[in-house]
Amino acid sequence: MGTSLKSTGLSTLNYEALLKGLKDAFAGAKVALTQQQAQQYINDAITKASAVKTKAENEANKIKFAPMIKEGQEFLEENKKRAGVQTTASGLQYEVLTAGTGVKPTATDSVLVHYKGTLLNGKQFDSSYDRGEPISFPLNRVIPGWTEGVQLMPAGSKYKFFIPYHLAYGERGAGADIPPYSALIFEVELLKVNGK
C-alpha cells in the first residue's frame, strides 16, 4: 500500500489516522468517514500530489531540454526575418509555397492533406508522401499549430509551417522521434476540405 501511494506523488500521510481507519474497519467499529467521503479525500489528495509531481517533472525537463528550447527560439527568431515568412500572434510561422484558390477550412472541418514533418535538424519523423496516400482528419484533433495554420490555407495550397514547441507537442514530445520541447517544420498540402 505504501509503495502504491508513494508512486502517486504523495509525500506525507497522517499515519495515525490511516492506522486508526484500518483498525476500525477491520474491527467493524464506527469509522470517522463514510466509504464515499474517504474515497473523495483520497482522490483529492492524489490529484493534488500528482499535479505537484507533474509540475516538478516539467520543471526538471525544462532544465534538461533548455538547449533544445533555446535552439527552437533562435531558429524561429532568425526564420521570421526571411522574405516570405509570416508570423501569427500565437508565434506560428508560415510560408506560402503554392497559393490555392479553394475554400478555407474552419477548425471543425475535416481536411484531406499530404504532409511531411521534420525536426529543425532536418530529420524527418513522418510523411504521408512516403506512405503513398494523403490522410483525412478533423482540424480540431491535431496539434494547435496545425489547427491554426491549416485554417489559413485555401484548398489547393501548399504551405510550410514553422511551429514553436508550445503549438506542437509541448513538454511531452511525441513517441521516440519527437523529443520534448521540439519546434517542428511541416510542409502541408491541403488537397480538399471535407466539411464537418
Side-chain angles (χ1 to χ4, degrees):
M1 269 177 73
T3 302
S4 176
L5 287 169
K6 190 172 182 182
S7 72
T8 66
L10 289 172
S11 56
T12 60
L13 287 174
N14 181 334
Y15 303 112
E16 290 76 25
L18 177 64
L19 197 53
K20 182 176 179 344
L22 284 171
K23 285 179 179 177
D24 289 348
F26 265 78
K30 185 175 186 317
V31 290
L33 301 172
T34 67
Q35 183 70 33
Q36 191 175 5
Q37 289 171 320
Q39 193 59 56
Q40 187 59 51
Y41 280 113
I42 291 168
N43 291 347
D44 291 349
I46 289 173
T47 299
K48 200 179 289 183
S50 181
V52 169
K53 181 180 174 186
T54 300
K55 185 177 179 188
E57 287 169 353
N58 287 345
E59 288 304 314
N61 267 347
K62 216 169 196 174
I63 293 166
K64 178 181 175 184
F65 290 100
M68 181 165 283
I69 296 169
K70 185 178 179 198
E71 176 190 20
Q73 289 169 336
E74 288 174 352
F75 172 86
L76 293 166
E77 201 55 43
E78 283 304 306
N79 192 57
K80 74 180 180 184
K81 298 174 187 172
R82 287 192 315 110
V85 173
Q86 298 179 62
T87 306
T88 69
S90 70
L92 173 70
Q93 296 178 2
Y94 67 96
E95 182 177 7
V96 179
L97 303 178
T98 305
T101 57
V103 298
K104 289 182 179 179
T106 66
T108 55
D109 283 332
S110 172
V111 294
L112 179 69
V113 298
H114 253 316
Y115 70 94
K116 176 178 85 166
T118 62
L119 301 176
L120 295 184
N121 64 11
K123 181 183 177 196
Q124 182 177 297
F125 55 82
D126 196 9
S127 171
S128 65
Y129 295 106
D130 289 356
R131 288 191 298 276
E133 61 180 296
I135 185 169
S136 282
F137 53 78
L139 265 186
N140 58 4
R141 299 259 173 92
V142 291
I143 60 173
W146 270 65
T147 303
E148 178 185 357
V150 177
Q151 289 183 80
L152 302 170
M153 303 175 70
S157 298
K158 186 173 185 178
Y159 281 25
K160 193 169 193 175
F161 294 111
F162 307 91
I163 304 178
Y165 79 84
H166 69 277
L167 297 176
Y169 293 97
E171 58 274 346
R172 297 180 325 277
D177 294 329
I178 303 174
Y181 298 101
S182 292
L184 304 175
I185 300 172
F186 283 96
E187 284 182 22
V188 180
E189 194 176 352
L190 179 56
L191 303 173
K192 181 182 173 192
V193 177
N194 300 323
K196 304 288 180 242

